[in-house]
Short mmCIF file of all heavy atoms in Angstrom, two decimals:
data_model
loop_
_atom_site.label_atom_id
_atom_site.label_comp_id
_atom_site.label_asym_id
_atom_site.label_seq_id
_atom_site.Cartn_x
_atom_site.Cartn_y
_atom_site.Cartn_z
N LEU A 107 -6.17 -7.51 -6.06
CA LEU A 107 -7.35 -6.77 -6.29
C LEU A 107 -7.96 -6.97 -7.62
O LEU A 107 -7.22 -6.99 -8.62
CB LEU A 107 -7.19 -5.28 -6.00
CG LEU A 107 -6.49 -4.91 -4.72
CD1 LEU A 107 -6.06 -3.42 -4.76
CD2 LEU A 107 -7.48 -5.06 -3.57
N ASN A 108 -9.30 -7.08 -7.75
CA ASN A 108 -10.06 -6.98 -8.97
C ASN A 108 -10.67 -5.57 -9.02
O ASN A 108 -11.39 -5.18 -8.04
CB ASN A 108 -11.13 -8.05 -9.03
CG ASN A 108 -10.56 -9.43 -9.18
OD1 ASN A 108 -9.67 -9.58 -10.02
ND2 ASN A 108 -10.96 -10.41 -8.45
N ILE A 109 -10.30 -4.88 -10.07
CA ILE A 109 -10.67 -3.45 -10.23
C ILE A 109 -11.45 -3.17 -11.43
O ILE A 109 -11.01 -3.71 -12.48
CB ILE A 109 -9.47 -2.56 -10.13
CG1 ILE A 109 -8.70 -2.80 -8.79
CG2 ILE A 109 -9.72 -1.12 -10.21
CD1 ILE A 109 -7.22 -2.40 -8.81
N LEU A 110 -12.49 -2.36 -11.34
CA LEU A 110 -13.17 -1.88 -12.53
C LEU A 110 -12.82 -0.47 -12.71
O LEU A 110 -13.14 0.42 -11.85
CB LEU A 110 -14.62 -2.05 -12.39
CG LEU A 110 -15.51 -1.88 -13.70
CD1 LEU A 110 -15.22 -2.93 -14.69
CD2 LEU A 110 -16.99 -1.88 -13.34
N LEU A 111 -12.02 -0.22 -13.76
CA LEU A 111 -11.51 1.18 -14.02
C LEU A 111 -12.61 1.84 -14.88
O LEU A 111 -13.08 1.30 -15.92
CB LEU A 111 -10.22 1.18 -14.78
CG LEU A 111 -9.00 0.50 -14.01
CD1 LEU A 111 -7.86 0.38 -14.94
CD2 LEU A 111 -8.66 1.32 -12.85
N CYS A 112 -12.95 3.08 -14.52
CA CYS A 112 -14.01 3.84 -15.19
C CYS A 112 -13.62 5.27 -15.34
O CYS A 112 -13.13 5.86 -14.41
CB CYS A 112 -15.29 3.69 -14.36
SG CYS A 112 -16.69 4.66 -15.01
N VAL A 113 -13.72 5.85 -16.55
CA VAL A 113 -13.40 7.17 -16.77
C VAL A 113 -14.27 8.05 -15.94
O VAL A 113 -15.47 7.86 -15.91
CB VAL A 113 -13.45 7.57 -18.27
CG1 VAL A 113 -13.30 9.04 -18.48
CG2 VAL A 113 -12.41 6.84 -19.09
N ALA A 114 -13.73 9.05 -15.27
CA ALA A 114 -14.49 9.92 -14.41
C ALA A 114 -15.61 10.62 -15.20
O ALA A 114 -15.41 11.08 -16.29
CB ALA A 114 -13.58 11.03 -13.82
N GLY A 115 -16.81 10.63 -14.62
CA GLY A 115 -17.94 11.22 -15.33
C GLY A 115 -18.82 10.21 -15.99
O GLY A 115 -20.03 10.47 -16.18
N GLU A 116 -18.37 8.98 -16.23
CA GLU A 116 -19.22 7.93 -16.71
C GLU A 116 -20.05 7.46 -15.56
O GLU A 116 -19.60 7.37 -14.37
CB GLU A 116 -18.35 6.73 -17.18
CG GLU A 116 -17.49 7.02 -18.40
CD GLU A 116 -18.23 7.12 -19.70
OE1 GLU A 116 -19.32 6.44 -19.79
OE2 GLU A 116 -17.84 7.90 -20.58
N THR A 117 -21.31 7.06 -15.79
CA THR A 117 -22.19 6.58 -14.76
C THR A 117 -22.40 5.11 -15.00
O THR A 117 -22.64 4.68 -16.04
CB THR A 117 -23.45 7.32 -14.77
OG1 THR A 117 -24.03 7.30 -16.00
CG2 THR A 117 -23.33 8.82 -14.33
N LEU A 118 -22.27 4.37 -13.88
CA LEU A 118 -22.53 2.97 -13.93
C LEU A 118 -23.67 2.66 -12.94
O LEU A 118 -23.71 3.17 -11.75
CB LEU A 118 -21.31 2.16 -13.52
CG LEU A 118 -20.10 2.22 -14.43
CD1 LEU A 118 -18.94 1.39 -13.90
CD2 LEU A 118 -20.50 1.71 -15.82
N ASP A 119 -24.47 1.72 -13.26
CA ASP A 119 -25.41 1.17 -12.26
C ASP A 119 -24.76 0.06 -11.48
O ASP A 119 -23.88 -0.56 -11.93
CB ASP A 119 -26.61 0.54 -12.94
CG ASP A 119 -27.45 1.66 -13.74
OD1 ASP A 119 -27.50 2.80 -13.27
OD2 ASP A 119 -27.99 1.27 -14.83
N ALA A 120 -25.29 -0.10 -10.21
CA ALA A 120 -24.58 -1.10 -9.38
C ALA A 120 -24.56 -2.52 -10.03
O ALA A 120 -23.56 -3.24 -9.82
CB ALA A 120 -25.38 -1.17 -8.06
N GLU A 121 -25.51 -2.85 -10.78
CA GLU A 121 -25.55 -4.23 -11.39
C GLU A 121 -24.53 -4.30 -12.59
O GLU A 121 -24.16 -5.41 -12.96
CB GLU A 121 -26.98 -4.57 -11.88
CG GLU A 121 -27.57 -3.72 -12.91
CD GLU A 121 -28.42 -2.54 -12.38
OE1 GLU A 121 -28.49 -2.40 -11.15
OE2 GLU A 121 -28.82 -1.80 -13.18
N GLN A 122 -24.02 -3.14 -13.00
CA GLN A 122 -22.95 -3.26 -14.04
C GLN A 122 -21.60 -3.43 -13.43
O GLN A 122 -20.61 -3.83 -14.22
CB GLN A 122 -22.87 -1.89 -14.83
CG GLN A 122 -24.15 -1.66 -15.74
CD GLN A 122 -24.04 -0.30 -16.34
OE1 GLN A 122 -24.06 0.73 -15.66
NE2 GLN A 122 -24.01 -0.31 -17.67
N ILE A 123 -21.45 -3.38 -12.12
CA ILE A 123 -20.13 -3.67 -11.48
C ILE A 123 -20.11 -5.16 -11.14
O ILE A 123 -20.84 -5.59 -10.40
CB ILE A 123 -19.93 -2.81 -10.23
CG1 ILE A 123 -20.10 -1.31 -10.55
CG2 ILE A 123 -18.70 -3.08 -9.56
CD1 ILE A 123 -20.15 -0.34 -9.39
N PRO A 124 -19.12 -5.86 -11.73
CA PRO A 124 -19.05 -7.31 -11.46
C PRO A 124 -18.84 -7.64 -9.96
O PRO A 124 -18.12 -6.81 -9.27
CB PRO A 124 -17.88 -7.79 -12.23
CG PRO A 124 -17.60 -6.71 -13.30
CD PRO A 124 -18.12 -5.50 -12.70
N THR A 125 -19.38 -8.67 -9.48
CA THR A 125 -19.19 -9.09 -8.07
C THR A 125 -17.72 -9.24 -7.82
O THR A 125 -17.02 -9.87 -8.66
CB THR A 125 -19.93 -10.41 -7.89
OG1 THR A 125 -21.34 -10.23 -8.16
CG2 THR A 125 -19.78 -10.86 -6.39
N GLY A 126 -17.24 -8.79 -6.72
CA GLY A 126 -15.84 -8.93 -6.33
C GLY A 126 -14.97 -7.85 -6.82
O GLY A 126 -13.72 -7.94 -6.68
N TYR A 127 -15.49 -6.89 -7.56
CA TYR A 127 -14.64 -5.80 -8.10
C TYR A 127 -14.86 -4.51 -7.34
O TYR A 127 -16.02 -4.19 -6.91
CB TYR A 127 -15.06 -5.52 -9.58
CG TYR A 127 -14.35 -6.54 -10.51
CD1 TYR A 127 -14.80 -7.81 -10.69
CD2 TYR A 127 -13.26 -6.14 -11.31
CE1 TYR A 127 -14.19 -8.74 -11.56
CE2 TYR A 127 -12.62 -7.02 -12.15
CZ TYR A 127 -13.11 -8.24 -12.32
OH TYR A 127 -12.53 -9.14 -13.06
N GLU A 128 -13.77 -3.70 -7.24
CA GLU A 128 -13.86 -2.37 -6.67
C GLU A 128 -13.87 -1.41 -7.89
O GLU A 128 -13.24 -1.65 -8.91
CB GLU A 128 -12.61 -2.07 -5.84
CG GLU A 128 -12.45 -2.94 -4.65
CD GLU A 128 -11.10 -2.50 -3.88
OE1 GLU A 128 -10.79 -1.25 -3.89
OE2 GLU A 128 -10.60 -3.33 -3.20
N LEU A 129 -14.67 -0.39 -7.76
CA LEU A 129 -14.71 0.65 -8.84
C LEU A 129 -13.78 1.77 -8.56
O LEU A 129 -13.73 2.36 -7.44
CB LEU A 129 -16.13 1.19 -8.86
CG LEU A 129 -16.46 2.29 -9.94
CD1 LEU A 129 -16.23 1.73 -11.30
CD2 LEU A 129 -17.84 2.84 -9.76
N TRP A 130 -12.87 2.04 -9.53
CA TRP A 130 -11.93 3.16 -9.38
C TRP A 130 -12.19 4.04 -10.58
O TRP A 130 -12.29 3.64 -11.72
CB TRP A 130 -10.51 2.65 -9.52
CG TRP A 130 -9.92 1.99 -8.32
CD1 TRP A 130 -10.63 1.47 -7.31
CD2 TRP A 130 -8.58 1.59 -8.12
NE1 TRP A 130 -9.78 0.83 -6.36
CE2 TRP A 130 -8.47 0.85 -6.90
CE3 TRP A 130 -7.47 1.82 -8.91
CZ2 TRP A 130 -7.31 0.40 -6.43
CZ3 TRP A 130 -6.20 1.27 -8.41
CH2 TRP A 130 -6.25 0.58 -7.21
N GLU A 131 -12.30 5.32 -10.31
CA GLU A 131 -12.36 6.37 -11.38
C GLU A 131 -10.96 6.78 -11.75
O GLU A 131 -10.12 7.07 -10.91
CB GLU A 131 -13.20 7.55 -10.87
CG GLU A 131 -14.66 7.35 -10.89
CD GLU A 131 -15.46 8.69 -10.69
OE1 GLU A 131 -14.79 9.72 -10.37
OE2 GLU A 131 -16.63 8.71 -10.87
N VAL A 132 -10.87 6.91 -13.10
CA VAL A 132 -9.50 7.37 -13.65
C VAL A 132 -9.86 8.65 -14.42
O VAL A 132 -10.97 8.83 -14.96
CB VAL A 132 -8.83 6.29 -14.56
CG1 VAL A 132 -8.33 5.19 -13.73
CG2 VAL A 132 -9.76 5.84 -15.61
N PRO A 133 -8.85 9.59 -14.52
CA PRO A 133 -9.13 10.88 -15.12
C PRO A 133 -9.33 10.78 -16.66
O PRO A 133 -9.98 11.66 -17.24
CB PRO A 133 -7.88 11.73 -14.77
CG PRO A 133 -6.91 10.76 -14.38
CD PRO A 133 -7.54 9.52 -13.88
#
Side-chain angles (χ1 to χ4, degrees):
L107 303 169
N108 288 314
I109 303 162
L110 191 65
L111 299 169
C112 177
V113 172
E116 295 286 330
T117 54
L118 294 178
D119 295 327
E121 62 269 1
Q122 291 177 299
I123 301 171
T125 302
Y127 277 76
E128 294 183 30
L129 180 63
W130 287 12
E131 283 193 347
V132 291

